[in-house]
Amino acid sequence: MTVNTFDSSQTTTLDTPAKTLASQVQASGNKGNTIGFVSLGCPKNLVDSERILTQLRTEGYNIVPTYNDADMVIVNTCGFIDSAVQESLGAIGEALAENGKVLVTGCLGAKKDEIIQVHPNVLGITGAHAYEEVLSQVHEHLPPNPTHNPFTDLVPPQGIKLTPRHYAYLKISEGCNHSCSFCIIPDMRGKLVSRPIGQVMGEAERLVKAGVKELLVISQDTSAYGVDIKHRTDFWDGRPLKTDMYQLAAALGELGVWVRLHYVYPYLHVDNVIPLMAQGKVLPYLDIPFQHASPTLLRKMRRPGQVEQTLERIKSWREQVPNLTIRSTFIVGFPGETEDDFQQLLDFLQEAQLDRVGCFQYSPVEGAKANDLPDHVPDEIKQERYDRFMQLQQQISTERLKQKVGQVLQVLIDEVDEEGAIGRSFADAPEIDGCVYLNGEENVKAGDLVNVLIEHSDEYDLWGTKV
């Protein structure tokens, strides 16, 4: 059971997209007008990169893996936390030094003045999910290849993907309607805008036909899907479907692949999705960012504060789905956090027995309302509380993983190397949770679903043998 740690250099950038992009562009050769691409940030930003790359390839631009081979470089930035901002500014600077012609897009684009102050020579700046604006700026500085033939230079129906062939992120909405005091996401990505459910299901079908075995549903707030359009009815394959979380999950469950729900805000209607997990239509996995367990702190964070009700709901969920995996994130050292507040958080952890937990020490993010709150917690107390939090959660994680020893779990293989195979069970999201190791196993390939007898565990991962 993975317990995510955090340090001042951590960002939200995933490793797999860069590897996948490198392998794809190397295979595409160096023909026509060429663009280098750097994708930073979370899975939501990754999907933005995929859409931009797909459109570029559709118009005949070629994506290359080196600065020297590129006529221009696009950097898709992250601006969620201070370390991510520094990573993005560093990536822009590197691209300018190595290539000289750089367009900037993504979340940090909302802070245009900050980018220009550091890097005044960038060719253009756009914000998050600004696909048409990015293409317009590309056209301005690098016209499309005049020899491009759309009938021979084909783009796959599912588009360009920055994940391995066997899993893909499915973004169902943009933006967020919440006003959490520690977060500036709505300022960077805007208010909630849900995609029509027919459009989402069409994309999901194309991905499954292309070989995807796992769909990871992402958004800023998956539970709020469709709220902005009053759950309007749309059509998929001639069927009417309401644009809401339940009907989306149920429809995705008909495609015969793993469906994993991320960023699920704990509204009461989340309870309705649990039976779909019990029926095997959706993976028994919920990613719910609780953030804290002190009602006082939750009010200051502008988050839901019914902690006792939350514990009762978790108990009910597990009664219906005994193997349910719950992932969450928490903040320690939030302004005004007392020792009593922190103890309430530890008590919650002990009671809830969560499977996956990420812990962050609070740090002020420019523009966040929480910065103006009184009684900021000293760094040494933040660190001390973080250490105590980690120690308790690692004990919980270790014990919960031990319960899986002796079980046979279905495992999706991610990679095979000289030491064996590495995969994930239903309880493991890529890059943020644990892994299942099959030492010495060579008779499998990436994308295979195999049954594995679990023989060993530690506080993070599992080891087993194919059966």
Side-chain angles (χ1 to χ4, degrees):
M1 308 278 176
T2 302
V3 180
N4 288 4
T5 59
F6 177 78
D7 58 49
S8 58
S9 64
Q10 180 179 341
T11 69
T12 57
T13 298
L14 306 176
D15 293 330
T16 298
K19 298 176 185 176
T20 307
L21 180 59
S23 66
Q24 288 184 357
V25 297
Q26 286 167 356
S28 65
N30 186 358
K31 300 179 297 181
N33 293 0
T34 57
I35 293 178
F37 203 98
V38 178
S39 182
L40 305 175
C42 66
K44 293 174 283 294
N45 219 39
L46 179 151
V47 173
D48 292 345
S49 293
E50 291 175 337
R51 291 179 180 173
I52 294 169
L53 286 167
T54 298
Q55 189 59 39
L56 288 170
R57 287 283 295 275
T58 300
E59 295 188 6
Y61 293 97
N62 195 60
I63 313 303
V64 293
T66 65
Y67 292 120
N68 289 338
D69 292 331
D71 296 315
M72 173 186 291
V73 177
I74 299 174
V75 181
N76 191 8
T77 60
C78 178
F80 178 50
I81 52 179
D82 288 344
S83 54
V85 171
Q86 295 308 312
E87 180 190 31
S88 294
L89 291 173
I92 296 167
E94 179 181 290
L96 283 168
E98 297 291 334
N99 182 275
K101 296 181 69 176
V102 178
L103 292 177
V104 177
T105 188
C107 288
L108 191 59
K111 300 180 179 180
K112 186 174 182 178
D113 292 343
E114 183 174 338
I115 296 172
I116 292 176
Q117 183 177 0
V118 180
H119 300 300
N121 294 326
V122 296
L123 297 177
I125 301 172
T126 54
H129 52 84
Y131 318 121
E132 293 182 2
E133 292 178 66
V134 173
L135 268 294
S136 177
Q137 290 187 354
V138 171
H139 296 160
E140 181 181 344
H141 298 283
L142 188 66
N145 179 6
T147 65
H148 167 60
N149 185 339
F151 298 103
T152 58
D153 300 332
L154 299 178
V155 175
Q158 74 275 15
I160 304 301
K161 293 296 168 185
L162 298 181
T163 48
R165 184 171 180 265
H166 59 279
Y167 72 82
Y169 294 101
L170 183 66
K171 184 157 67 168
I172 63 172
S173 64
E174 302 284 2
C176 179
N177 285 346
H178 296 292
S179 55
C180 302
S181 63
F182 54 83
C183 183
I184 58 171
I185 291 294
D187 296 330
M188 293 189 292
R189 302 192 75 94
K191 292 293 186 180
L192 176 68
V193 179
S194 299
R195 296 176 64 195
I197 193 168
Q199 184 184 111
V200 174
M201 288 303 304
E203 180 181 351
E205 273 193 305
R206 291 191 295 274
L207 290 169
V208 172
K209 288 178 181 177
V212 165
K213 303 286 184 66
E214 176 182 15
L215 294 169
L216 298 107
V217 178
I218 59 169
S219 65
Q220 293 300 142
D221 180 1
T222 295
S223 309
Y225 178 58
V227 167
D228 57 308
I229 54 176
K230 299 181 180 178
H231 304 298
R232 182 186 304 146
T233 297
D234 195 20
F235 292 86
W236 168 54
D237 198 24
R239 279 171 49 189
L241 290 176
K242 286 180 61 178
T243 304
D244 67 24
M245 178 185 177
Y246 175 82
Q247 294 216 8
L248 175 66
L252 290 172
E254 298 176 17
L255 298 180
V257 298
W258 283 8
V259 177
R260 190 182 302 277
L261 301 177
H262 281 286
Y263 316 115
V264 178
Y265 205 83
Y267 299 124
L268 289 177
H269 68 257
V270 173
D271 296 357
N272 300 332
V273 178
I274 303 301
L276 296 177
M277 298 179 179
Q279 297 162 20
K281 294 183 177 180
V282 176
L283 289 182
Y285 180 102
L286 276 178
D287 177 3
I288 302 181
F290 291 120
Q291 305 297 4
H292 212 281
S294 160
T296 300
L297 261 290
L298 288 169
R299 281 194 295 273
K300 291 182 178 181
M301 291 180 173
R302 300 182 183 176
R303 300 284 297 181
Q306 299 82 18
V307 177
E308 288 301 319
Q309 186 184 49
T310 298
L311 289 170
E312 286 298 318
R313 292 173 71 198
I314 291 173
K315 180 181 177 182
S316 172
W317 296 342
R318 285 182 169 148
E319 287 172 351
Q320 298 173 70
V321 185
N323 63 342
L324 176 66
T325 291
I326 302 176
R327 145 169 283 283
S328 191
T329 53
F330 294 88
I331 298 171
V332 297
F334 190 81
E337 183 187 61
T338 65
E339 180 61 28
D340 180 64
D341 292 322
F342 180 68
Q343 186 59 50
Q344 290 180 58
L345 175 55
L346 296 184
D347 292 343
F348 177 86
L349 287 183
Q350 192 69 63
E351 179 74 17
Q353 294 285 297
L354 302 178
D355 303 271
R356 313 285 197 215
V357 170
C359 182
F360 297 82
Q361 296 181 48
Y362 174 80
S363 62
V365 176
E366 184 181 350
K369 294 179 174 61
N371 300 342
D372 299 327
L373 292 173
D375 303 321
H376 281 240
V377 178
D379 288 345
E380 61 271 18
I381 296 180
K382 289 182 193 176
Q383 183 64 47
E384 187 267 342
R385 289 176 181 170
Y386 169 83
D387 291 340
R388 287 160 60 193
F389 179 103
M390 292 293 295
Q391 183 179 19
L392 173 59
Q393 183 56 38
Q394 284 184 341
Q395 292 171 3
I396 294 170
S397 298
T398 300
E399 289 304 311
R400 291 191 68 80
L401 267 183
K402 280 182 182 178
Q403 298 171 19
K404 298 191 176 184
V405 174
Q407 296 183 22
V408 175
L409 301 179
Q410 190 177 53
V411 171
L412 181 60
I413 301 299
D414 280 333
E415 59 179 299
V416 182
D417 58 25
E418 64 277 2
E419 296 182 3
I422 305 172
R424 296 176 289 106
S425 74
F426 70 87
D428 309 305
E431 297 202 65
I432 59 173
D433 292 330
C435 294
V436 181
Y437 293 93
L438 287 73
N439 291 345
E441 179 60 65
E442 298 178 350
N443 295 320
V444 294
K445 62 183 183 301
D448 284 351
L449 275 168
V450 298
N451 291 326
V452 176
L453 174 64
I454 304 302
E455 300 168 325
H456 176 69
S457 67
D458 65 9
E459 66 270 38
Y460 303 114
D461 303 304
L462 299 171
W463 282 259
T465 303
K466 187 178 73 166
V467 296

